[in-house]
Amino acid sequence: MKAKMTVNKSFIIDKVDKRLYGTFVEHLGRCVYEGIYEPGHKTADNKGFRGDVKDLVKELNTTFIRYPGGNFVSGYNWEDGIGPAGDRPKRLDLAWKTLETNEVGLHEFIGWANDIGAETNMAVNLGTRGIEEARNILEYCNHKSGTYWSDLRRKNGAEEPFNLKTWCLGNEMDGPWQMGAKTAEEYGRIAAEAAKLMKLTDERIELVACGSSFNKMPTFASWEATVLEHTYEHIDYLSLHSYYANRTNDIKSYLAESISMDNFIKSVVAICDYVKAKKHSKKTVNLSFDEWNVWYHSNTQDDKIREEEPWSVSPPILEDVYNFEDALLVGCLLITLLKNCDRVKIACLAQLVNVIAPIMTEKGGAAWRQTTFYPFKHAANLGHGTVLRSNIECPSYECETFSDVPFIETVAVNNEDCNELIVFAVNRSLDKAMELEIDAQGFDLSGTSSFTELCGYDLKAVNTKDKTQVIPREKTGVKINSGTVLAELSPLSWNVIRLGMK
Ligand code: AHR
């Protein structure tokens, strides 16, 4: 089979916001405790954070980390996590039916995120708490000194403000499972007032309001419209969450799920722009896709753990073990986010360690890369710069959920910093290689290139602590003839083509 991609250096979608490669650390399961933090582990630093995990997180190159939840944040008292560790209260976390020790709190987390070079995206509790808490935590984090909260931060060891830029106004507030769930009217009002107070406290910040928990919620679309009616002039982004699954073992439909993501993004953009028009506003509200991933492998096992062992500290819940087909879908989803980078400015793979995560750990033992680690790592390391508007001619297929699914999902990024044109591509064909011709107009390609692929594995193959089976390989065979590039994409493959420029 053959496909042709035409790109032109001058035809651009937008610059990639570096927050597109965000991830998520929630106080959930073994994400924090036994994940990023395990005092006593042989690689732990003097604050108790695992060095082996830090190294993997740095390799992944996540730029931005949402914290501390998730459902957890809707019942969280952030003040429980500041001050001397020995004085911190233990609390029931009703979201996940666990016991929170508060050993890791705001200072520890932000310090860790700074160490790995990522920005912290803090969420405030608009479930069990409200606008007072929202402005207090912001004053604590971002105000220099001379007030109750800023001086308390200094007393607790952080002389300089944390200066966190991006804040979430609660989490999934439409969900009946959420502590303090609200109607769209109720949430819209409290989010607008919280935003108002927060921007009065620090006008430099950017705010994310909650969209629907996912697009199958009965209130989807009307929730977004109502929330925006209330918050439009106070906030900067609206959130989207979506998790994908291959429950019927239908690979053709599963790999087409990035089309659902694309449709979801387009719908939310339309709602934002509808409210913009209705309000005759000059301002554009963009999107924060701040929870996305595959999540289903661990569902049954989690129900059992939560029923049989409630209120335990860091139980092994949401520990999806990802296989090769999941890595291919994650590749398609990353490409979709890039293709929408004019409106999706922030995105967070949920989550980072152990909990539906690209990195797994064993208590007292190893840390390893899941299959999905690789496409994220490639995109987060190389997919910076300007995304090009491309024209793709490609054969397509039918499946249970979609018609006309292109066999190739692909995007080209002009990475000005490394002076390379980067092409990410997934070949969805089960059995046919695809000869991809790239007509790269306006680029003076130097002929240097590299080609990395993840392919050739059983769709259900996984990585474990003892065996990394699914791993990318370098490939040869990219042909460059002036502005035209030819590359063969293997069936069922994730591909990264790096084309050097003169
Ligand atoms: O990421 C896991 C959970 O999924 C989050 O806590 C919640 O926001 C979502 O439902």
Side-chain angles (χ1 to χ4, degrees):
M1 286 197 293
K2 288 188 177 186
K4 182 170 178 184
M5 174 186 210
T6 308
V7 291
N8 186 301
K9 198 175 184 176
S10 312
F11 298 165
I12 62 170
I13 295 179
D14 211 340
K15 270 198 107 56
V16 180
D17 189 310
K18 75 174 179 46
R19 293 172 295 180
L20 199 72
Y21 301 113
T23 49
F24 181 22
V25 169
E26 177 167 0
H27 283 249
L28 194 187
R30 300 193 309 124
C31 188
V32 174
Y33 307 110
E34 295 183 24
I36 61 172
Y37 177 81
E38 192 186 329
H41 189 272
K42 63 177 188 291
T43 69
D45 64 15
N46 57 6
K47 293 176 195 135
F49 288 96
R50 283 181 64 153
D52 55 350
V53 173
K54 264 198 218 172
D55 288 344
L56 287 176
V57 174
K58 284 187 200 158
E59 180 184 332
L60 192 67
N61 206 30
T62 181
T63 48
F64 183 77
I65 309 181
R66 188 162 171 253
Y67 177 83
N71 296 339
F72 172 80
V73 79
S74 296
Y76 182 53
N77 297 336
W78 66 273
E79 303 90 328
D80 291 346
I82 58 172
D87 297 348
R88 297 184 190 173
K90 291 191 172 61
R91 302 268 190 201
L92 294 184
D93 165 31
L94 307 187
W96 302 104
K97 271 201 154 180
T98 55
L99 190 75
E100 174 55 52
T101 63
N102 284 305
E103 243 176 284
V104 171
L106 193 140
H107 287 256
E108 292 81 18
F109 181 78
I110 296 172
W112 175 81
N114 289 345
D115 272 2
I116 56 144
E119 189 180 325
T120 298
N121 169 211
M122 190 67 77
V124 301
N125 174 356
L126 291 186
T128 59
R129 305 187 80 188
I131 62 177
E132 174 76 358
E133 184 256 346
R135 70 161 185 161
N136 292 348
I137 184 176
L138 175 61
E139 186 180 314
Y140 185 91
C141 287
N142 283 14
H143 197 74
K144 194 160 173 34
S145 61
T147 65
Y148 175 78
W149 290 109
S150 57
D151 287 342
L152 186 58
R153 180 200 69 239
R154 293 169 62 225
K155 186 172 152 228
N156 287 335
E159 182 60 32
E160 290 307 313
F162 297 128
N163 286 328
L164 306 184
K165 176 181 170 190
T166 318
W167 292 74
C168 295
L169 296 165
N171 176 70
E172 296 189 348
M173 298 308 305
D174 62 330
W177 59 87
Q178 201 69 215
M179 284 177 265
K182 298 186 169 36
T183 64
E185 290 285 345
E186 289 166 347
Y187 174 68
R189 286 292 304 128
I190 196 174
E193 289 304 312
K196 194 170 89 188
L197 268 61
M198 290 175 80
K199 287 212 170 161
L200 284 169
T201 306
D202 182 353
E203 63 184 12
R204 302 164 302 170
I205 60 166
E206 292 192 338
L207 293 170
V208 184
C210 294
S212 298
S213 300
F214 66 117
N215 63 352
K216 302 283 185 313
M217 293 296 285
T219 48
F220 172 61
S222 67
W223 169 276
E224 276 72 6
T226 306
V227 168
L228 287 171
E229 290 281 352
H230 289 291
T231 58
Y232 201 87
E233 294 304 337
H234 301 288
I235 58 129
D236 304 280
Y237 307 93
L238 189 66
S239 76
L240 296 83
H241 290 180
S242 196
Y243 293 98
Y244 304 90
N246 186 9
R247 293 186 200 281
T248 56
N249 201 15
D250 170 2
I251 184 67
K252 286 178 158 183
S253 299
Y254 186 49
L255 294 183
E257 278 297 289
S258 52
I259 299 175
S260 313
M261 179 190 246
D262 193 61
N263 291 342
F264 185 18
I265 291 170
K266 300 284 192 304
S267 308
V268 178
V269 165
I271 302 165
C272 290
D273 292 350
Y274 156 77
V275 180
K276 175 180 182 173
K278 200 168 168 214
K279 287 187 174 288
H280 305 279
S281 177
K282 283 201 289 200
K283 172 179 174 179
T284 298
V285 166
N286 284 316
L287 312 190
S288 170
F289 213 126
D290 48 32
E291 285 187 35
W292 68 271
N293 205 347
V294 172
W295 176 11
Y296 76 104
H297 296 286
S298 60
N299 291 170
T300 318
Q301 158 196 332
D302 287 353
D303 292 345
K304 201 162 168 267
I305 296 176
R306 282 159 70 184
E307 222 168 82
E308 288 173 6
E309 296 165 49
W311 316 123
S312 53
V313 179
S314 55
I317 51 174
L318 279 74
E319 300 208 355
D320 274 40
V321 176
Y322 292 120
N323 56 32
F324 174 52
E325 67 187 24
D326 298 328
L328 294 176
L329 179 65
V330 163
C332 291
L333 298 170
L334 284 160
I335 291 171
T336 305
L337 291 169
L338 279 166
K339 289 203 291 199
N340 286 286
C341 76
D342 53 336
R343 297 305 293 270
V344 182
K345 298 294 170 189
I346 301 171
C348 301
L349 177 76
Q351 299 193 2
L352 183 58
V353 184
N354 289 331
V355 171
I356 42 174
I359 298 168
M360 296 300 288
T361 68
E362 180 191 42
K363 185 177 181 185
W368 65 99
R369 303 165 187 82
Q370 293 235 52
T371 60
T372 53
F373 182 94
Y374 298 106
F376 191 96
K377 167 186 163 174
H378 294 148
N381 279 278
L382 296 168
H384 294 276
T386 312
V387 179
L388 302 174
R389 205 169 282 289
S390 49
N391 184 59
I392 320 276
E393 294 159 53
C394 169
S396 59
Y397 67 88
E398 298 287 307
C399 63
E400 197 60 31
T401 43
F402 295 98
S403 305
D404 229 4
V405 181
F407 278 106
I408 301 289
E409 189 67 75
T410 184
V411 71
V413 185
N414 181 8
N415 186 328
E416 293 94 350
D417 285 346
C418 59
N419 204 30
E420 287 179 12
L421 177 63
I422 313 283
V423 177
F424 298 112
V426 171
N427 181 1
R428 294 184 172 109
S429 170
L430 271 52
D431 48 12
K432 294 202 174 40
M434 180 73 70
E435 193 183 8
L436 177 65
E437 178 185 334
I438 307 164
D439 181 7
Q441 299 172 358
F443 290 97
D444 200 0
L445 301 177
S446 64
T448 58
S449 66
S450 77
F451 189 176
T452 307
E453 68 172 7
L454 192 67
C455 83
Y457 299 104
D458 187 285
L459 286 170
K460 307 296 178 194
V462 299
N463 292 341
T464 63
K465 87 178 157 67
D466 300 314
K467 194 164 175 210
T468 303
Q469 319 186 51
V470 180
I471 192 164
R473 286 181 291 247
E474 293 309 304
K475 185 172 167 177
T476 50
V478 181
K479 293 185 198 127
I480 304 179
N481 187 0
S482 57
T484 303
V485 180
L486 276 182
E488 191 176 272
L489 312 183
S490 308
L492 290 172
S493 59
W494 158 256
N495 304 272
V496 184
I497 303 170
R498 300 176 63 170
L499 301 162
M501 286 180 246
K502 285 182 193 147

